[in-house]
Amino acid sequence: MAGEKDRPTDQQPRDAGADPDARIFVISVAAELAGMHAQTLRTYDRLGLVTPFRTTGGGRRYSPRDVALLREVQRLSQDEGVNLAGIKRIIELTNQVEALQARITEMASELAQVHAGYRRDLVPVRSNALVVWKPRNPRQQ
């Protein structure tokens, strides 16, 4: 069959190290990989559950990450009984958590760089010291 050789046989891109965001699947292939009908993918796109890349001609291109998200939408809908509005909210919250985790990692790296630049000879630090500071109440003076 023509084009059959171009399709991943194990339902994953041919190169396991491929970019999970590479927009490589046309809608029919993405639908087959996700185990659903192409019209369902169009509906999910319209609802904003999955947003595929659009070519200049308007064709949809799906990434391996999109296909994984389509499978998760199907699982949540069929196995967990979550409606599409709930699924959309779950996706939004998941994306927000991932963005926050990435920001925490970035800030921790920045903090480590700043900390590495401290001059330890200016202020001696004892590892087992504890200092408690209590400000005076101005009314009691």
Side-chain angles (χ1 to χ4, degrees), residues 3-65:
E4 194 68 34
K5 165 173 109 170
D6 297 332
R7 283 193 193 163
T9 55
D10 60 351
Q11 297 189 355
Q12 293 296 322
R14 279 174 267 151
D15 180 9
D19 180 4
D21 294 317
R23 309 298 181 152
I24 56 176
F25 302 118
V26 295
I27 192 167
S28 59
V29 174
E32 184 179 326
L33 291 174
M36 52 184 69
H37 195 275
Q39 190 59 40
T40 305
L41 273 64
R42 290 182 187 95
T43 301
Y44 289 172
D45 182 11
R46 208 171 25 258
L47 295 173
L49 295 174
V50 177
T51 307
F53 174 78
R54 293 294 186 128
T55 64
T56 54
R60 294 171 173 91
R61 294 293 183 269
Y62 292 85
S63 69
R65 189 182 310 265

